[in-house]
Amino acid sequence: MVNEANFVGMEVMNRYILLPIQDNAPEAKVGIIKNNVKVGVYSNVRLARERVDYYVPFKLIDYKGEYITIDIQGVPENALCWKKLKLSDNFDTANREEFRPLYHHTPAYGWMNDPNGMFYKDGVYHLYYQYNPYGSTWGNLAWGHSTSADLVNWKSEGIAIAPDALGAIFSGSCVVDKDNTAGFGAGAVIAFYTSAKSSPWGDIQTQSMAYSLDDGKTFTKYDKNPVLTSRERDFRDPKVFWYEPDKHWVMMLAVGQEMQIYSSKNLKEWKKESSFGEKQGAHGGVWECPDLVELPVEGTKEKKWVLICNINPGGPFGGSATQYFVGTFNGKKFINESPTETKWMDWGKDNYATVTFSGAPDGRVVALGWMSNWQYQGVLPTMQYRGANTIARDLTLYRSNGELYLKSSPAKEMLQARGEKKSFSPFKVKENYRIDSLLDDNNGAYEIVMSIKNNGASRIVFYLSNEKGEKLHMHFDVQRKQFVMERSESGLVDFSREFPALTVSPVDDTDEITLRIFVDRSSVEVFGEDGEYVMTNRMFPSAPYNTLIFENERGNFNVKELNIYKLK
């Protein structure tokens, strides 16, 4: 390996060159020159100046036996990285992070945000995601790929779609073209994504497609990309699905603060049909990551369409969040049936970019979100990776006081994830009640199932705590009919001034309460009444929460059921 100025020349004998990263360093550009010609797209990499926080692999194996030059631009000659570059045939992805969840999907290393292109085929769930393989900060966005048979245990499949001359690979969706409407072959998996690049004239976002003939493992980009263009600055996140009544494809696009709806017969030629958004819902930020699904109304034979709209900023507690609209859709136009009410899918701070799997089995509509918030994702206290997904959720509709609302229930696969069970006898809380040990050998990954009968209490309080005195507070305010979570004492919180937050959800009933609470090292997801209200928040305790304390204001309440399941 010859290092001269900003060039590193070599005959390739190893699989990787390992790049030393300093998380807060300025970005440098790294690329490959072969036969005096630049190859592919250069990547923005935060190469180490004064310290090495971690390494990332830069793949060389495609050039084995050939002479190439690695072009490194924008790094001073006295930077530490020049001494720390390493050639290697291996890259260690063993976990080094105490806060990495155990039963939630995370990337082995690097940055992850929005879930993309999710589909189900032949017994396998495919999850793609916004991925930077060259550091744990945003940039170089490609589609990472993971697969699962049970929505709990995920296998990394590497990078599925990489950046190209049209730009980075932003969010999108996949469909299985079983009838070969696009001409790539019956059963081809077709991905739609936003190609995004900056230019002297501003940001350019266009819609592109790629097809896979091996069930989503590898993709070939369509040679006539892009398939849809616009002069709009924010023009992204295509969600494509088949509309059976009229036998055509539908594409939802997020455009500024509205959703645009397009139709196509062949997935290549698209016609704009309508737009939705003016005077509808929250408009505190840009609309992103749309979805449109038909859901059953529980207890009836009725179905309604739900338009999912992610917004950043503009969430109810700051930063990013997911709102939704319930109404009708005729294949061309969506009509919101409750235009005066803003409805939120999750009342925590850490569920965003929620979208659904295409083709989920048995008529299910299964959703997955990104478990973070744009206010602080870039400074979360991890280095090896940043980004996690929520648990999967089954979506239905329910009616309350004449209004339709979204129910997000834990996916049924979470029942199979249960391991060791610890049950507690029913008890009454007059002033306080303490359970010192939830689980023996608690690794921070468990589910709490709890039912409560209120006997006149004005506030039903409970909180998780650990041996360090850190606490995650929760309570029901009976008079206001609210469920509240507060994380200012939950552990490490000082990495962002927006992180110590209080989040509030409306509830219908505070007399009979049923909860499922999923704790996974650095996250908590609370599902009330099987998902009629949901609250997802991250937290970073220095030790697992293993104590549960109940407190009461006036009256009393009974904890009728309390079971703790270790999750595997």
Side-chain angles (χ1 to χ4, degrees), residues 246-262:
D246 289 347
K247 306 293 184 184
H248 69 241
W249 297 98
V250 174
M251 178 189 288
M252 302 286 297
L253 276 175
V255 185
Q257 291 197 342
E258 68 176 21
M259 301 302 184
Q260 294 183 355
I261 299 174
Y262 294 76

Side-chain angles (χ1 to χ4, degrees), residues 349-475:
K349 279 185 72 82
D350 294 307
N351 183 9
Y352 188 62
T354 304
V355 286
T356 63
F357 284 88
S358 175
D362 304 320
R364 295 168 65 190
V365 178
V366 182
L368 198 70
W370 175 50
M371 196 161 57
S372 195
N373 191 303
W374 279 113
Q375 285 185 326
Y376 42 71
Q377 163 69 11
V379 294
L380 291 181
T382 59
M383 284 286 186
Q384 186 183 22
Y385 80 100
R386 282 197 182 94
N389 291 110
T390 66
I391 63 170
R393 303 171 184 192
D394 285 312
L395 304 185
T396 55
L397 289 167
Y398 73 99
R399 197 177 297 276
S400 176
N401 299 319
E403 188 68 49
L404 286 174
Y405 295 98
L406 188 65
K407 177 183 280 191
S408 301
S409 306
K412 64 181 183 179
E413 287 80 0
M414 295 308 301
L415 296 174
Q416 279 68 57
R418 289 174 174 175
E420 171 192 341
K421 176 183 178 182
K422 188 173 181 180
S423 297
F424 295 86
S425 300
F427 54 89
K428 178 178 288 189
V429 180
K430 294 183 178 179
E431 293 183 356
N432 57 68
Y433 191 94
R434 181 184 180 99
I435 297 173
D436 286 316
S437 178
L438 294 177
L439 287 170
D440 300 328
D441 190 28
N442 188 339
N443 63 2
Y446 52 90
E447 177 190 358
I448 300 172
V449 177
M450 179 164 54
S451 62
I452 295 172
K453 174 69 171 74
N454 188 12
N455 297 314
S458 62
R459 182 171 293 203
I460 298 169
V461 180
F462 54 98
Y463 54 90
L464 292 162
S465 67
N466 61 20
E467 60 196 37
K468 307 292 186 180
E470 297 161 344
K471 302 174 183 179
L472 182 66
H473 292 261
M474 290 169 271
H475 73 264

